[in-house]
Amino acid sequence: MDKKESVGLNEEILNNAEDQVKKLENLLSLSYEEAKKNGRLIGRISRYGEVKVEENSEIEFIIDPSTYYSESDAPFHRIGDYLVAIDPKDMRLVLIRIKSIIRKDELAAIGLEPPISQIVNSIEPRGLITNTIVKGELVLEINKNDKTPRPATKSIEPQSPVIDPNPEVLSKLLDLPQEGITIGALSTASGLVKNGQIPVKLPLNAIYHHILILGTTGSGKTTLLKNMIASMYNQLERHPISVIIDSNQDFVQLPISNNVKPIPEEILNSCYKNVKELDGIVAVVPISFELIQQKFEKERKGINEALIDIARKYFYETFSPLIQINKVEFNLIVRNKTIFLKTDYPFKLIFVPYIINTLETSTDNLSPLLPGITLLAKDLLKKMRENFKKKHGIYPPIQAVYGALSVFIDKSIYKVNKDNGLSFDDVLEQAIDYINPYIISPNQDFNLDLHNMKIDNYDFSLFDAVEEFIYSLQRARPHDETIKALYRRISSLIESQVIDILLPQHNKLIPLNEPEWETIINIANEENIPVILDLKWNLDLVGLDALRLVTYRTLDKLISWKHRSWAQRNETPNIMVVIDEAHQFFQNESKVKEDVDAIRHVSAMISKIARLGRARGVGLVFSTHSPADLNDIILQLTNTKIILRTDKSQIERISIPKEVNEYLSRLQDRTMLIESYAFRLGYLFAQTTTPLTAHYDISANITYY
């Protein structure tokens, strides 16, 4: 090759190189133009280090001092916030989550001090006029023609522009759900992203895969739940019916407006615009034996009058202190054997007096009310009850079982025809004496004629039923421990005061009907209002066992109805069941020394309900401040976990991304980590407002804002 040929070749290479430079210059220029369309230009990918894309790789970019100091709350000041790089090769947008921010005093780094300062390490602001190095992880990326983002796996060029993205660009890159229940506004662990302009919504489908909400007292669990329900009823045309198991009367206030404007205003305007108090509630209120006895004994009311008076009493004690309205009128309505009392002023309140009736409940379906019952005890109860129904067409009141078991427990049955001369009739009278305190009577000192008063229109009296059960027990000859095990469970039912309430009418004992949950849900659906199972009013002095019985019965009835409707191909509303203070109802086996069998029984029950609920449109939302005391099965069954400020010791059993674990004990009120399959990143932070509706603790005389 001669010299001329060599020079020509070099010129060709140089010309090609120059063309390439111009091409790259054009691409870089276009990428910066694209950057300005999608957000505010704040920096560029660094030229001074490798830009390596690999699994869990980080990328480094530079922000100049004027941009860095232009605002104090920019995303590049905060780890966990989001920025976007535009790659010049194909103009794709690459989402970056900030992991570290590096600042240096350059003058100090090279050993320079102010020229006339006599003070070592004195203040020198010029040392802060330096570039900021930000490191972040590549998360997701999207091209112009892509409908949804994909994992960021392609190479990215040095000098690529980095932007603070517009809210709609960030929302698209995060692939946030556009429909669902509003949880709050996108945030980091330390503050709002985009000034609260990006709503975070949980798709309705996630509800049916069940949710667990954790947070210490005062962190905002109840506020979050109330805001979720208020937004769902206000913002979604089609939504599940909420059934809220309310231990503290927090949720009965959903129809009452908040007299203080919720804050932060940015979240209110972007996420909860036009969300207001609800039109009303269906209040399902367990009515105790003692409350009805009081109405009969002191006021000599008929049952309908008594129930209307109880509804008024409920309104005056629950709502009057909040809204200063002391007069309300209720209309009594009966629908499908379900009694409810309705008023439309000052809001829709449908009061459903709730008791449990076992006379039409098989022993298998009675199981949720008997957690921990031994297999032998259950078999004994089932055999006796089924024989009784075969003969009389209905199961006996629970009082009959209790009376029969009582004379075996006190041993009086074993003294019949002994030297003390105790007759079988004497034992029967003793059994009736055990039952008498649990039958409504005009006067507590007055004993009804239980020998002759038939049960409703059936052919037996309570006396007859007790006698039959005593004979059945004598024939079965069960072991003493079996009788004791059965007696403990039946006693628990009797002492709850909400099971098999019998009213004397026209020389008969009439059992109060148990409201049908199908009817309750249909009424709530027609009125577009939630159902509140109020476990505080009237039951707060009865004991936790009664609250658990009502809760277990409710869950069992709801899932049984949904499953039966599905089998018959009947369309029914979907349901979201909210269980506040869930650790009280579903305890951790390792935390309870006694009744381990009962805990295991409840675990099996909740597992069945959760499994069927996914397929039948029943979602469970558990809320607790004490996850360490919560049953393990709930941690396993809930596919979405929302964690507000929580002590580290409380979340040791929960799998949480390592990079955010340290923040959870220091979160601000109402700021939360949401870990869910519904989000492309697996988790997000969000923040909600103070309560959108009234949030008032009557017993403590405190309003929460």
Side-chain angles (χ1 to χ4, degrees):
M1 180 181 298
D2 59 26
K3 186 175 180 180
K4 186 177 180 181
E5 289 176 335
S6 176
V7 171
L9 182 61
N10 288 337
E11 286 177 355
E12 185 178 346
I13 292 172
L14 289 172
N15 289 334
N16 289 339
E18 193 61 33
D19 290 343
Q20 189 67 27
V21 168
K22 288 180 180 179
K23 181 180 177 182
L24 291 173
E25 182 181 17
N26 185 52
L27 287 174
L28 279 168
S29 177
L30 289 172
S31 69
Y32 276 78
E33 289 177 15
E34 188 69 22
K36 292 173 185 176
K37 295 176 187 176
N38 290 281
R40 183 170 64 94
L41 184 65
I42 55 100
R44 64 185 183 279
I45 302 297
S46 174
R47 299 171 61 189
Y48 302 108
E50 291 182 333
V51 183
K52 185 188 293 185
V53 177
E54 57 186 2
E55 287 188 17
N56 303 317
S57 63
E58 291 184 355
I59 197 164
E60 186 178 289
F61 53 95
I62 295 170
I63 299 172
D64 65 69
S66 62
T67 302
Y68 180 79
Y69 287 113
S70 64
E71 54 183 294
S72 60
D73 198 34
F76 45 78
H77 288 295
R78 195 165 45 218
I79 59 174
D81 214 323
Y82 304 94
L83 296 170
V84 171
I86 291 86
D87 188 82
K89 293 193 301 295
D90 50 14
M91 300 302 156
R92 76 186 188 284
L93 279 61
V94 184
L95 183 64
I96 302 167
R97 184 157 50 192
I98 298 173
K99 297 192 71 174
S100 65
I101 304 162
I102 302 168
R103 293 282 297 147
K104 279 196 288 187
D105 184 323
E106 294 291 356
L107 294 182
I110 61 176
L112 292 180
E113 287 292 330
I116 47 179
S117 172
Q118 297 178 357
I119 306 171
V120 178
N121 294 327
S122 62
I123 293 174
E124 175 46 75
R126 286 173 293 183
L128 300 181
I129 305 175
T130 59
N131 287 337
T132 299
I133 299 172
V134 178
K135 293 183 179 180
E137 60 177 326
L138 303 179
V139 184
L140 296 168
E141 61 186 22
I142 192 168
N143 274 322
K144 279 186 176 181
N145 298 326
D146 292 337
K147 291 184 179 179
T148 59
R150 55 179 179 268
T153 57
K154 295 178 70 175
S155 63
I156 190 166
E157 299 305 310
Q159 304 185 52
S160 295
V162 176
I163 60 170
D164 176 7
N166 297 328
E168 61 274 13
V169 172
L170 180 54
S171 181
K172 185 176 181 180
L173 266 167
L174 287 169
D175 201 17
L176 293 178
Q178 298 302 301
E179 299 291 335
I181 299 178
T182 301
I183 305 295
L186 184 67
S187 78
T188 67
S190 61
L192 291 172
V193 171
K194 299 296 167 200
N195 202 30
Q197 296 180 65
I198 303 178
V200 174
K201 298 184 178 185
L202 197 63
L204 291 181
N205 186 55
I207 295 172
Y208 310 117
H209 289 264
H210 315 307
I211 301 169
L212 174 60
I213 299 177
L214 312 175
T216 190
T217 302
S219 61
K221 297 186 306 298
T222 303
T223 294
L224 169 63
L225 280 167
K226 291 174 77 170
N227 287 357
M228 287 171 61
I229 293 164
S231 66
M232 183 174 76
Y233 274 83
N234 276 275
Q235 295 177 332
L236 299 180
E237 188 174 343
R238 293 178 61 86
H239 57 78
I241 298 301
S242 293
V243 176
I244 303 149
I245 297 171
D246 188 357
S247 303
N248 298 304
Q249 286 198 317
D250 288 318
F251 297 89
V252 297
Q253 300 166 35
L254 283 167
I256 303 173
S257 63
N258 193 344
N259 56 8
V260 176
K261 188 174 183 179
I263 56 173
E265 193 170 345
E266 300 90 339
I267 304 178
L268 181 66
N269 293 335
S270 64
C271 299
Y272 300 113
K273 194 173 183 179
N274 299 325
V275 172
K276 59 181 181 61
E277 69 276 7
L278 304 190
D279 292 337
I281 58 170
V282 178
V284 179
V285 184
I287 303 300
S288 67
F289 166 89
E290 185 177 336
L291 183 60
I292 296 179
Q293 174 64 49
Q294 185 182 58
K295 291 291 176 185
F296 269 73
E297 182 178 354
K298 293 184 179 180
E299 302 173 30
R300 303 297 175 92
K301 301 275 187 180
I303 184 59
N304 288 352
E305 291 176 288
L307 292 177
I308 290 173
D309 272 6
I310 290 170
R312 288 198 193 105
K313 177 181 172 69
Y314 177 75
F315 182 90
Y316 297 151
E317 293 182 0
T318 302
F319 299 107
S320 291
L322 303 179
I323 56 178
Q324 285 74 52
I325 293 177
N326 296 312
K327 186 176 181 181
V328 65
E329 295 300 328
F330 284 93
N331 293 319
L332 188 145
I333 303 168
V334 180
R335 178 168 161 182
N336 300 330
K337 296 185 179 180
T338 298
I339 297 174
F340 60 96
L341 300 102
K342 182 179 181 182
T343 183
D344 289 321
Y345 178 79
F347 49 79
K348 289 179 186 175
L349 174 60
I350 299 174
F351 179 88
V352 181
Y354 188 79
I355 58 95
I356 295 172
N357 185 327
T358 69
L359 277 72
E360 296 181 1
T361 304
S362 71
T363 307
D364 288 338
N365 290 333
L366 207 61
S367 293
L369 303 181
L370 302 166
I373 189 172
T374 64
L375 187 60
L376 288 174
K378 182 180 176 181
D379 286 346
L380 174 63
L381 180 63
K382 183 175 183 178
K383 183 177 181 181
M384 293 190 299
R385 293 181 83 240
E386 293 302 329
N387 286 339
F388 189 93
K389 185 184 181 187
K390 188 175 181 181
K391 181 178 179 181
H392 299 285
I394 197 170
Y395 295 104
I398 208 70
Q399 291 91 333
V401 184
Y402 175 73
L405 288 169
S406 295
V407 296
F408 281 80
I409 293 296
D410 70 7
K411 306 294 185 183
S412 58
I413 190 66
Y414 302 116
K415 299 174 184 176
V416 173
N417 299 326
K418 300 290 182 182
D419 294 338
N420 58 18
L422 195 66
S423 69
F424 187 77
D425 287 342
D426 294 330
V427 171
L428 275 174
E429 292 301 328
Q430 195 158 330
I432 294 299
D433 287 342
Y434 283 119
I435 291 172
N436 257 317
Y438 301 104
I439 307 296
I440 300 292
S441 65
N443 189 312
Q444 285 189 334
D445 297 326
F446 174 79
N447 290 335
L448 298 168
D449 182 10
L450 300 183
H451 300 72
N452 298 310
M453 296 180 76
K454 301 296 185 183
I455 301 297
D456 205 351
N457 293 319
Y458 292 94
D459 62 351
F460 66 93
S461 67
L462 202 53
F463 183 89
D464 298 332
V466 171
E467 184 177 23
E468 285 189 38
F469 267 81
I470 291 176
Y471 282 133
S472 294
L473 285 167
Q474 285 180 318
R475 288 194 298 270
R477 301 178 66 181
H479 193 278
D480 283 352
E481 291 303 314
T482 302
I483 288 183
K484 288 178 182 177
L486 183 54
Y487 177 79
R488 281 195 299 270
R489 296 302 165 195
I490 299 299
S491 295
S492 178
L493 296 186
I494 286 284
E495 290 165 9
S496 73
Q497 296 197 31
V498 295
I499 293 184
D500 290 348
I501 295 180
L502 304 173
L503 299 174
Q505 285 186 2
H506 310 299
N507 205 33
K508 293 180 180 179
L509 287 177
I510 308 299
L512 283 181
N513 288 327
E514 179 173 356
E516 294 183 357
W517 274 102
E518 176 181 359
T519 301
I520 294 170
I521 296 297
N522 285 334
I523 291 171
N525 190 39
E526 292 163 12
E527 300 285 353
N528 194 34
I529 55 179
V531 179
I532 315 293
L533 178 60
D534 188 344
L535 296 183
K536 182 174 176 62
W537 192 81
N538 183 49
L539 280 192
D540 55 348
L541 298 179
V542 176
L544 191 55
D545 282 346
L547 309 188
R548 288 173 178 159
L549 287 177
V550 173
T551 300
Y552 300 157
R553 180 71 161 188
T554 297
L555 292 173
D556 182 65
K557 285 287 187 178
L558 284 172
I559 200 68
S560 297
W561 163 57
K562 290 288 290 181
H563 184 61
R564 185 173 63 252
S565 299
W566 173 85
Q568 296 169 352
R569 299 299 185 266
N570 293 331
E571 187 175 347
T572 56
N574 288 345
I575 301 170
M576 179 177 79
V577 182
V578 176
I579 306 167
D580 200 15
E581 304 293 345
H583 61 280
Q584 293 186 356
F585 305 103
F586 309 107
Q587 298 164 289
N588 185 350
E589 186 178 317
S590 64
K591 299 283 183 178
V592 181
K593 294 181 180 178
E594 300 177 357
D595 265 354
V596 173
D597 287 340
I599 302 299
R600 290 173 180 168
H601 185 103
V602 171
S603 298
M605 178 187 71
I606 199 66
S607 178
K608 173 189 172 184
I609 291 171
R611 181 170 38 81
L612 284 175
R614 288 177 180 172
R616 308 291 182 260
V618 178
L620 304 175
V621 181
F622 303 93
S623 175
T624 180
H625 69 269
S626 185
D629 295 330
L630 197 61
N631 197 297
D632 287 341
I633 196 69
I634 291 174
L635 302 182
Q636 298 166 20
L637 291 172
T638 47
N639 288 344
T640 295
K641 294 178 175 65
I642 301 177
I643 306 173
L644 295 98
R645 186 174 61 255
T646 306
D647 189 79
K648 288 182 183 179
S649 62
Q650 289 286 345
I651 51 177
E652 291 173 348
R653 296 185 297 148
I654 300 171
S655 176
I656 295 170
K658 184 171 60 176
E659 63 269 23
V660 299
N661 199 14
E662 291 298 316
Y663 302 126
L664 297 182
S665 62
R666 305 194 298 271
L667 291 176
Q668 296 173 299
D669 290 353
R670 306 181 313 281
T671 298
M672 69 207 81
L673 171 75
I674 311 172
E675 191 177 12
S676 177
Y677 74 93
F679 301 129
R680 289 288 299 275
L681 299 188
Y683 72 87
L684 292 172
F685 280 97
Q687 185 183 133
T688 191
T689 63
T690 51
L692 299 168
T693 64
H695 192 41
Y696 191 85
D697 186 340
I698 299 173
S699 61
N701 198 29
I702 296 172
T703 302
Y704 297 100
Y705 301 127

